[in-house]
Every structure is written in C-alpha cells, then in structure tokens.
C-alpha cells in the first residue's frame, strides 16, 4: 500500500514545514524544467498530488483515515488466513486419522482372506462348503466397501463445504466499486454557476501589483470543470472558478510568478494538473490549455 507520505518520502507524523521542505526538494529534483528524464513529468504530477492532499489539513485527515482503513482490512485478511490455515491443519489431521482407520480395516480384510483361503485348501473334501466359503469372501468385501462409502462421501462433502466457505470469505473481503455521480455544487456547498465564472463563497485573491493575467482555455475539452489557480511556490489557492466546456476564462490582476491550475472533470471526476506558466516582465500574459487526458491522472 503506497500513500502520499511515501510519495514525498516523509513519515506520517511530519509537520507542515517538513511536508513543505520535502515538496520543494522533490520539485527541484523532478521538475521537467530541470530534469530531462521522460518520466519527470509523470513523477512531478504524483508529487503535486501528494502535496495538495498533505498540505490541506482536512484532506490529509481523510487520507489518514483511508490509510487506517486499509491497514485494518489487511490485518483482518491476514487474521482470516491464519484461522483458515489452522482449520486446514485440523482437517488434514482428521483426514490422516481416517486414512489410518481405512488402512487398518483393509489389512484386517487381507488377513481374513488369507486365513479363509488356507482353511478352504484343507477342506477340499466338501466342495459345496468350499464354494460357499469362497462366495462369502466378495460378499464380505462388498459389505465393508458399502460401509466405507458414507465415510468417503462425508469426506468429499466436507471438502466441498470448505472450498465454498473459502470462496465466501474471499467474496466478503471484495470491495464494491463505487459509481460516480456528477456533482451540482462545489466542495464548499455553493452551486456551480450557470455560465463560466468564479464560484461564490471562495476568496479570489488579487495581486499586489496586478499587472498580469492568465487565460484558462477549456475550448478543447468536452466536459465542464471545477478549477483552482495557485502558484508553485505557495500552496494557497488564489482563484476558484467554474468553466463550461468549449469556453474560457480570463484571470487578471495577477503578480509575476509561476502559475498552474488543478482541475476536475465534472463528467467523470478525473482530477488533472495543467502545465506551469510563467508571468514576468517579458511575458505579462500566458494561456493554460485544459484538455481531458492531457496530463496523467494520479494513481495509487
């Protein structure tokens, strides 16, 4: 089981400063601008996702509860396997005793047949009695075989019951997949606007100088999105907005810096991150393109 803590290479009791330091260190190591590896972009997406969750106290608490639940399920599964192993051991012992009993009965039958054959050889005078004795041997064998049948059938029945019980145990630990339902409101409970624009209830932070702007284009996408603008150097959300499919929004009054957008496809719940854009004196306007599947999803 891999967690966001593992992705940032930190312990679960790390404080906010440790999380921030780990994120900066890994960003410098794997950011595509500094790392030419073809996997750098994918790894950076995972790092961003982990930092987004762990830097938010509420989302971190939800992640911790998820970890605890997974550990509980693993412990319970391991306990069930131990109990099943003990049951199998007991069943093997019972089966071994049953085999020994059947073997003893078979040896007794063989000895009985040997003694009876010897007696028949000495009683050649009475042919009728000889044939009668010889006939009784298979009858005895059939009778004993008939007595063994319920035991064998019982063993088979027990084996079948154990197999079904094992299947039921596996079925009981299988998680039922959830069905995605498109939300009609933002996480703060406010409904999404009818048209592209900012969402009520969220603080829309303006820059100190406010001479630059970012155009977020959703024209190539086939889904409405819930999106957040932030800077790479600061986890604070600057703007929270809604963009309809085939539409765009202009985010103005921004300071110089490196910006990115994380957004959720409302049609299927897929969460993505945009590429970074830089606003500076030489580039006071930049465009971020949102497109389904453009950035890899974060999978654990």
């Amino acid at each position: 089981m891999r967690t966001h803590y593992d992705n940032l290479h930190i312990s679960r009791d790390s404080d906010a400063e440790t999380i921030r330091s780990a994120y900066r260190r890994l960003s410098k190591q794997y950011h595509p601008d500094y790392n030419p590896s073809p996997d750098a972009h994918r790894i950076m997406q995972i790092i961003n996702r982990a930092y987004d969750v762990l830097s938010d106290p509420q989302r971190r608490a939800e992640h911790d509860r998820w970890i605890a639940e997974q550990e509980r399920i693993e412990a319970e599964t391991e306990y069930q396997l131990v109990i099943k192993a003990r049951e199998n051991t007991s069943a093997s012992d019972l089966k071994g005793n049953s085999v020994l009993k059947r073997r003893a009965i078979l040896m007794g039958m063989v000895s009985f047949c040997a003694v009876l054959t010897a007696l028949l050889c000495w009683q050649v005078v009475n042919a009728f009695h000889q044939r009668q004795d010889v006939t009784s041997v298979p009858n005895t064998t059939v009778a004993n075989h008939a007595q063994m049948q319920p035991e064998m059938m019982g063993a088979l029945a027990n084996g079948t019951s154990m197999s079904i019980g094992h299947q039921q145990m596996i079925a009981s630990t299988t998680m039922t997949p959830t069905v995605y339902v498109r939300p009609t409101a933002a996480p703060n409970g406010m409904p999404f606007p009818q048209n592209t624009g900012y969402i009520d209830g969220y603080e829309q932070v303006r820059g100190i100088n406010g001479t630059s702007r970012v155009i977020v284009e959703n024209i190539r996408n086939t889904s409405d999105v819930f999106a957040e603008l932030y800077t790479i150097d600061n986890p604070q959300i600057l703007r929270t907005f809604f963009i309809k499919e085939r539409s765009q929004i202009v985010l103005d009054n921004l300071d110089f810096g490196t910006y990115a957008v994380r957004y959720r496809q409302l049609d299927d719940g897929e969460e993505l991150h945009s590429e970074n854009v830089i606003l500076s004196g030489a580039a006071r306007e930049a465009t971020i393109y949102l497109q389904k599947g453009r950035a890899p999803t974060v999978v654990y």
Side-chain angles (χ1 to χ4, degrees):
M1 179 181 66
R2 190 168 182 83
T3 67
H4 290 311
Y5 296 101
D6 299 328
N7 292 334
L8 292 184
H9 302 171
I10 59 177
S11 61
R12 297 182 187 177
D13 58 351
S14 299
D15 56 17
E17 183 59 31
T18 302
I19 295 173
R20 189 178 299 106
S21 298
Y23 171 74
R24 291 176 178 174
R25 174 174 52 81
L26 293 174
S27 296
K28 293 180 181 179
Q29 181 178 355
Y30 292 105
H31 196 282
D33 292 343
Y34 309 108
N35 192 327
S37 171
D39 292 331
H41 186 271
R42 178 182 62 82
I43 296 174
M44 196 61 204
Q45 294 294 330
I46 296 176
I47 294 172
N48 285 335
R49 174 62 175 165
Y51 181 71
D52 290 342
V53 173
L54 297 182
S55 62
D56 186 334
Q58 182 177 357
R59 299 175 69 185
R60 180 180 181 180
E62 293 177 356
H63 186 57
D64 290 342
R65 287 194 293 271
W66 177 84
I67 294 174
E69 178 64 15
Q70 295 303 311
E71 290 177 343
R72 185 191 66 78
I73 293 175
E74 290 178 357
E76 182 177 349
T77 301
E78 182 177 357
Y79 174 77
Q80 293 294 336
L81 291 176
V82 171
I83 296 300
K84 192 64 180 179
R86 292 178 180 177
E87 292 176 354
N88 291 338
T89 301
S90 300
S92 299
D93 294 340
L94 292 175
K95 184 177 180 180
N97 293 335
S98 179
V99 170
L100 292 177
K101 290 180 180 179
R102 289 199 295 269
R103 185 175 299 174
I105 293 174
L106 180 60
M107 292 299 297
M109 292 175 60
V110 172
S111 300
F112 173 76
C113 292
V115 173
L116 184 59
T117 302
L119 292 175
L120 292 177
C121 291
W122 287 97
Q123 296 177 0
V124 293
V125 178
N126 194 339
F128 176 79
H129 290 170
Q130 184 182 50
R131 287 194 299 272
Q132 185 72 22
D133 292 337
V134 172
T135 306
S136 66
V137 174
N139 289 339
T140 304
T141 303
V142 172
N144 283 276
H145 180 70
Q147 294 176 358
M148 293 170 58
Q149 286 299 322
E151 297 179 5
M152 296 175 62
M153 294 301 292
L156 291 174
N158 290 335
T160 303
S161 177
M162 289 166 56
S163 176
I164 294 175
H166 182 65
Q167 294 176 1
Q168 291 174 347
M169 181 194 71
I170 296 176
S172 66
T173 58
T174 304
M175 296 181 66
T176 303
T178 58
V179 178
Y180 175 76
V181 177
R182 172 173 170 143
T184 59
N188 68 347
M190 300 300 295
F192 291 123
Q194 295 295 325
N195 300 311
T196 297
Y198 292 116
I199 300 175
D200 294 338
Y202 288 101
E203 181 183 4
Q204 312 299 340
V205 181
R206 294 178 175 270
I208 298 176
N209 297 322
T211 59
S212 302
R213 68 177 186 171
V214 170
I215 301 173
V216 183
E217 183 181 287
N218 196 38
I219 296 177
R220 304 178 185 180
N221 198 358
T222 58
S223 171
D224 301 341
V225 300
F226 166 77
E228 297 172 328
L229 178 74
Y230 64 97
T231 60
I232 300 301
D233 298 330
N234 190 339
Q236 179 186 7
I237 303 303
L238 302 179
R239 309 285 174 88
T240 304
F241 48 94
F242 168 83
I243 311 180
K244 293 185 67 66
E245 62 172 315
R246 313 297 185 184
S247 179
Q248 67 180 23
I249 188 173
V250 178
L251 309 178
D252 52 11
N253 297 320
L254 297 175
D255 292 334
F256 296 158
T258 302
Y259 293 85
V261 171
R262 57 168 169 258
Y263 57 102
R264 177 182 300 169
Q265 305 277 9
L266 296 181
D267 284 352
D268 57 15
E270 183 181 14
E271 294 187 1
L272 304 171
H273 284 254
S274 72
E275 297 181 350
N276 301 336
V277 295
I278 300 176
L279 297 178
S280 61
R284 297 176 179 270
E285 178 179 302
T287 301
I288 293 178
Y289 298 94
L290 306 184
Q291 183 172 356
K292 187 173 184 178
R294 176 177 178 83
T297 56
V298 182
V299 179
Y300 296 95

